[in-house]
Amino acid sequence: MATPRIVILGAGYGGLMAATTLMRTLEDGEADVWLINKHDYHYMTTHLHEPAAGTAADEKVRVPLRDVLDFDRVHFRQGTVKRFDPAGRIVELEGGETIPFDYLVVALGSEPETFGIEGLREHAFAIRSLNSVRVIREHIEYMFSLYRARGEDPAYTTIVVGGAGFTGIEFVTELAERLPRLARAYDVPEEAVRLVNVEAAPTILPGFDPSLVAYAEAKLREKGIEVHTNTPIKACTPEGVVLQGDREIRAKTVVWTGGVRGNRIVEASGLEVIRGRVKVDPYLRAPGYDHVFVVGDSAVVFGEDGRPYPPTAQIAVQEGRAAALNLAAILRGTPMQPFKPNIQGTLASLGRWEGIGIVGKRRFYGLIASLLKRGSDLRYLWQLGGMPIVLKKIRYFFA
Amino acid sequence: MATPRIVILGAGYGGLMAATTLMRTLEDGEADVWLINKHDYHYMTTHLHEPAAGTAADEKVRVPLRDVLDFDRVHFRQGTVKRFDPAGRIVELEGGETIPFDYLVVALGSEPETFGIEGLREHAFAIRSLNSVRVIREHIEYMFSLYRARGEDPAYTTIVVGGAGFTGIEFVTELAERLPRLARAYDVPEEAVRLVNVEAAPTILPGFDPSLVAYAEAKLREKGIEVHTNTPIKACTPEGVVLQGDREIRAKTVVWTGGVRGNRIVEASGLEVIRGRVKVDPYLRAPGYDHVFVVGDSAVVFGEDGRPYPPTAQIAVQEGRAAALNLAAILRGTPMQPFKPNIQGTLASLGRWEGIGIVGKRRFYGLIASLLKRGSDLRYLWQLGGMPIVLKKIRYFFA
């Protein structure tokens, strides 16, 4: 009998954790594990707002796969998934290569949701990948450099961030710390620099604890960020954004953080999806396909209260690990375990040394929240690759 | 009798040297000296290729006027000259302010000469001012950041530099030292990076000593720069350049260093000009206007061989000083001195620690030429502002 092949699609939080868990759990010969990913590195999506703002090096958020995987035990193939066929048990890459599988772990993440807002896809940036956030950082610097060369038009030094969820708030607070330095470097008077956060909901961080929201609002004010809640964006143009009521903000940089949706490749696969995400069974399998696991933002898991868990890194990591252990159970003929997320808390940064969050039932503010977040980041790195990877990265978290 | 007013237009090499010389030469009450400049700083035009390439900080080339002028002795007005009337003895600034003068020193520099090449003005960058070279640097970085985000199109990492005169050669050699680092930072494979220098003349550095040209050519080859001589640019488009013969080079960055012409404001002033430059009398005065001096790239001085001196910083500095001393002579009723340039040599860098040049009758190559160039730069700073300004800048020249 041939060794069964497990193919993992994507090396984000869910996929990479599935790969490292399989690597550590399976004995030689139990399965061939393949990991397919667009890049030869993993990136910490929850930290992308930092290289986007230019406050952290790319290397803070990037983890070379070679540093956490033994390529003799996990066969890595760099490539972009074009489609996969759960019934035909085949994955096709851009370029035409096909890879058959016996078991599949779908961990392809999410895509920005533009809610049909006109021009957003064309004219706004998204905090999506390391490649995309470098473009944001360089675009902002480029526009600052153009301010004096283009008649001191403040549109060049106005940045509009759409969405005041976690990513939007973490990004604007981070960016607010950098803009004064950028203004000085490019001889831009401080009054020409505008950082605007626009949110359709009545409050920033919708759904989050109100006292933490109030704290965040105060910090945003303190940092000089203009916040417009109850303000849907109607359209995005090369000149800026048009708000509901046709008020316009002229801005050469618009970053959209307003939401994510499931992945188009998952949608096109024939798996049953809800807004692009697969409603998995208790073992994280796609309905009707016992050999296909779906984890991370590609999956949706409903809690006992009937509401879906939000698409977070925390849950993706737990799902990746759970899917890997269930795959091992299948291979060994032992019983699978139903997935139960363990929500340890939620932490958001508000710039370098500020944050808010809930851990257990306790609220945290300011420096303490910020340090707790660093702790949870390092714990994640520890889970990924142990002490060597923590040692490689720790300076970026405390520099 | 009212104190006569001397107005100096421009704080480049010529204008600033005129201002500092007047400041040191005139006694209180001899004249009111005004300096009008777009920025409150001087920049070393001959070093602009370094911040353009991103190999030196802006502060290397920028000298705040406050650091070299006593504003109690030289009245500084920040503004952009819109026009001046040599007969009506008035200068008009953008915004409408008018400033009358008794004596004028025109030191408005040059403008890029595009030789009517289609699209050059719209789609190519020029190494012209601190503001403009920051844009070049940021544009290049931005394009590198887009390489991966835009389907790995090598047009994003191809840079075409038009012109292989001093500025073109100094820029490409400087840039060649930075591109490998930039490629690594943005995960661009080295083979996708192209740096192309295009020159219409049969050789790089046309007119320069042939053995130095041969040395420079070898260095360019060594640095992986593609050089195309005998290759006029026919057009510049948003996609790159079209060469004579309709060969196209796809490049998102095109920098034009192909030549300079006189200033349009000088042309429009009614002064007699040759290709935008005023052919001054032996005392550096405009023909027919004994109270108007013209120095630097705005002026053209012919040597004894009947050929014009090239528009260099070296000559501009000497002219600025000579015009100031002649103004002092006029005020004091002593005889003016005819201007005789003292050409000490010519030095060009070929990257950080490489150069070529002639000093006196001797040729210099490599590190020695590079160090001689640093010496002449520091000598210039010394002339401008003495030890304090040398101490402020020296680290940039040896870092």
Side-chain angles (χ1 to χ4, degrees):
Chain A
M1 216 180 93
T3 315
R5 179 187 285 174
I6 301 171
V7 172
I8 303 166
L9 306 182
Y13 289 107
L16 185 54
M17 195 53 72
T20 56
T21 306
L22 284 170
M23 180 177 82
R24 286 177 199 134
T25 306
L26 297 183
E27 304 292 330
D28 276 352
E30 279 195 288
D32 281 341
V33 180
W34 285 50
L35 173 65
I36 300 172
N37 195 54
K38 204 168 166 178
H39 312 111
D40 59 2
Y41 55 84
H42 162 76
Y43 52 80
M44 297 173 71
T45 309
T46 58
H47 281 276
L48 282 176
H49 60 278
E50 295 170 35
T55 52
D58 296 351
E59 294 319 310
K60 175 171 179 177
V61 304
R62 160 149 68 178
V63 178
L65 294 176
R66 189 174 290 281
D67 286 357
V68 294
L69 291 174
D70 177 349
F71 283 177
D72 289 335
R73 294 183 50 78
V74 174
H75 180 89
F76 171 62
R77 174 64 52 97
Q78 188 167 350
T80 303
V81 175
K82 190 176 168 188
R83 64 174 198 95
F84 65 89
D85 176 353
R89 301 196 182 202
I90 206 147
V91 175
E92 186 185 339
L93 304 187
E94 301 278 356
E97 189 188 357
T98 55
I99 297 164
F101 59 81
D102 297 296
Y103 298 96
L104 188 69
V105 179
V106 179
L108 288 167
S110 52
E111 294 184 7
E113 169 66 273
T114 58
F115 302 109
I117 298 170
E118 193 191 316
L120 212 52
R121 191 175 298 277
E122 295 77 14
H123 306 301
F125 295 99
I127 294 177
R128 195 180 169 182
S129 67
L130 195 49
N131 286 329
S132 76
V133 301
R134 289 163 166 180
V135 176
I136 296 174
R137 177 183 69 224
E138 294 305 326
H139 180 84
I140 291 171
E141 291 176 15
Y142 188 36
M143 294 302 114
F144 268 67
S145 80
L146 284 169
Y147 172 80
R148 290 231 165 234
R150 296 278 188 283
E152 312 193 358
D153 179 351
Y156 285 94
T157 47
T158 300
I159 296 154
V160 173
V161 177
F166 271 62
T167 307
I169 293 301
E170 292 193 306
F171 178 55
V172 290
T173 49
E174 200 72 35
L175 192 55
E177 296 188 356
R178 181 150 187 257
L179 291 182
R181 273 174 292 160
L182 216 49
R184 273 195 302 280
Y186 290 100
D187 296 318
V188 176
E190 270 197 49
E191 60 275 17
V193 178
R194 267 180 88 186
L195 178 55
V196 188
N197 188 210
V198 178
E199 167 63 49
T203 164
I204 65 166
L205 299 169
F208 205 49
D209 180 277
S211 78
L212 296 174
V213 169
Y215 184 88
E217 276 170 347
K219 284 293 157 198
L220 264 66
R221 255 199 312 278
E222 210 172 89
K223 286 168 186 279
I225 300 160
E226 291 177 46
V227 180
H228 300 275
T229 49
N230 282 314
T231 308
I233 293 178
K234 209 172 118 182
C236 186
T237 73
E239 302 312 315
V241 291
V242 182
L243 306 176
Q244 210 82 52
D246 291 331
R247 197 151 52 93
E248 207 182 322
I249 303 177
R250 292 184 63 246
K252 291 285 182 186
T253 307
V254 179
V255 179
W256 175 248
T257 69
V260 292
R261 45 159 286 131
N263 190 294
R264 276 157 217 279
I265 294 162
V266 177
E267 265 187 334
S269 69
L271 295 180
E272 196 182 303
V273 294
I274 303 171
R275 289 189 62 221
R277 302 170 73 193
V278 178
K279 185 183 167 183
V280 289
D281 75 9
Y283 305 101
L284 300 172
R285 292 175 306 184
Y289 296 94
D290 285 357
H291 62 293
V292 176
F293 288 78
V294 188
V295 301
D297 285 5
S298 295
V300 58
V301 171
F302 285 81
E304 285 173 2
D305 60 358
R307 285 166 50 198
Y309 288 105
T312 64
Q314 183 177 187
I315 289 186
V317 165
Q318 294 178 17
E319 288 173 346
R321 189 176 141 78
L325 296 176
N326 280 343
L327 270 164
I330 292 176
L331 294 173
R332 294 165 182 175
T334 58
M336 294 192 296
Q337 300 295 324
F339 174 68
K340 278 203 188 65
N342 170 21
I343 308 291
Q344 290 141 333
T346 311
L347 291 156
S349 67
L350 299 170
R352 191 117 197 86
W353 297 108
E354 280 277 358
I356 45 172
I358 296 186
V359 180
K361 284 185 189 301
R362 284 197 59 190
R363 298 189 192 96
F364 293 91
Y365 305 84
L367 180 61
I368 299 287
S370 168
L371 292 172
L372 285 171
K373 189 158 195 292
R374 281 173 173 75
S376 90
D377 294 327
L378 293 175
R379 182 166 167 270
Y380 167 65
L381 288 172
W382 178 271
Q383 285 179 298
L384 262 193
M387 187 57 96
I389 194 75
V390 170
L391 286 179
K392 266 194 176 171
K393 297 294 177 190
I394 194 163
R395 69 188 177 96
Y396 295 110
F397 286 86
F398 290 95
Chain B
M1 216 180 95
T3 315
R5 180 187 285 173
I6 300 170
V7 172
I8 302 166
L9 306 183
Y13 289 106
L16 185 54
M17 194 53 71
T20 56
T21 305
L22 285 170
M23 180 177 83
R24 286 177 200 134
T25 306
L26 297 182
E27 304 293 328
D28 276 352
E30 281 193 286
D32 281 341
V33 180
W34 284 51
L35 173 65
I36 300 173
N37 194 55
K38 204 167 167 178
H39 312 112
D40 59 2
Y41 55 84
H42 162 76
Y43 52 79
M44 297 172 71
T45 309
T46 57
H47 282 277
L48 283 176
H49 60 278
E50 296 170 35
T55 52
D58 295 352
E59 293 319 309
K60 174 171 181 177
V61 305
R62 160 149 68 180
V63 178
L65 294 176
R66 188 174 291 283
D67 286 358
V68 293
L69 293 174
D70 176 350
F71 283 177
D72 289 335
R73 297 182 48 77
V74 174
H75 181 87
F76 171 63
R77 174 65 51 93
Q78 189 169 351
T80 303
V81 175
K82 191 176 166 188
R83 61 175 198 95
F84 65 90
D85 177 353
R89 300 195 184 204
I90 206 147
V91 174
E92 186 183 339
L93 303 186
E94 301 277 358
E97 189 187 356
T98 56
I99 297 163
F101 59 82
D102 298 296
Y103 298 95
L104 188 69
V105 179
V106 179
L108 288 167
S110 53
E111 294 185 8
E113 170 64 271
T114 58
F115 302 108
I117 298 170
E118 193 191 318
L120 212 52
R121 193 174 296 278
E122 296 77 15
H123 306 301
F125 295 98
I127 294 178
R128 197 183 167 178
S129 67
L130 195 50
N131 286 329
S132 76
V133 301
R134 289 162 167 180
V135 175
I136 296 173
R137 177 184 69 223
E138 293 305 326
H139 180 84
I140 291 171
E141 291 177 14
Y142 188 36
M143 293 303 112
F144 268 67
S145 80
L146 283 169
Y147 173 79
R148 290 232 164 235
R150 295 281 189 282
E152 312 191 358
D153 179 350
Y156 285 95
T157 46
T158 299
I159 297 155
V160 172
V161 177
F166 271 62
T167 308
I169 293 301
E170 292 193 305
F171 179 55
V172 289
T173 48
E174 200 72 35
L175 192 56
E177 297 188 356
R178 181 152 186 256
L179 292 182
R181 275 175 290 160
L182 216 49
R184 273 195 300 280
Y186 289 101
D187 296 318
V188 177
E190 270 196 48
E191 60 275 19
V193 178
R194 267 180 87 186
L195 178 54
V196 188
N197 188 208
V198 179
E199 167 63 49
T203 164
I204 65 167
L205 299 168
F208 206 48
D209 180 277
S211 78
L212 295 174
V213 169
Y215 184 87
E217 277 170 349
K219 284 293 157 196
L220 264 66
R221 255 198 313 276
E222 208 173 89
K223 287 169 185 279
I225 300 160
E226 292 176 45
V227 180
H228 300 276
T229 50
N230 282 314
T231 309
I233 292 177
K234 209 172 120 181
C236 185
T237 72
E239 302 313 315
V241 292
V242 181
L243 306 177
Q244 210 81 52
D246 290 332
R247 200 151 52 93
E248 208 182 322
I249 302 177
R250 293 184 62 248
K252 292 285 183 188
T253 307
V254 179
V255 179
W256 176 247
T257 70
V260 294
R261 46 158 287 132
N263 191 293
R264 275 155 218 281
I265 294 161
V266 178
E267 266 186 335
S269 68
L271 295 181
E272 195 182 305
V273 294
I274 302 172
R275 288 188 65 220
R277 303 169 74 194
V278 178
K279 186 183 165 183
V280 289
D281 74 9
Y283 307 101
L284 300 174
R285 293 175 305 185
Y289 296 95
D290 284 356
H291 62 292
V292 175
F293 288 78
V294 187
V295 300
D297 286 5
S298 295
V300 59
V301 172
F302 285 80
E304 287 172 3
D305 59 358
R307 286 167 51 200
Y309 288 103
T312 64
Q314 186 177 184
I315 289 185
V317 165
Q318 294 178 17
E319 289 173 346
R321 189 177 142 76
L325 295 177
N326 281 343
L327 271 164
I330 292 175
L331 295 172
R332 294 166 182 175
T334 59
M336 296 193 294
Q337 300 295 324
F339 174 66
K340 278 203 189 62
N342 169 22
I343 309 291
Q344 290 141 333
T346 312
L347 291 156
S349 67
L350 300 170
R352 193 121 195 81
W353 297 108
E354 279 278 357
I356 45 173
I358 295 185
V359 180
K361 287 185 187 299
R362 283 198 59 190
R363 299 190 191 96
F364 293 92
Y365 304 85
L367 180 61
I368 299 286
S370 169
L371 292 171
L372 284 172
K373 190 159 195 294
R374 281 172 173 77
S376 90
D377 295 327
L378 294 174
R379 183 165 166 271
Y380 168 66
L381 289 171
W382 178 271
Q383 285 179 299
L384 262 192
M387 186 58 98
I389 192 76
V390 170
L391 286 179
K392 264 195 178 172
K393 296 295 178 189
I394 194 164
R395 67 188 178 97
Y396 295 111
F397 286 85
F398 290 95

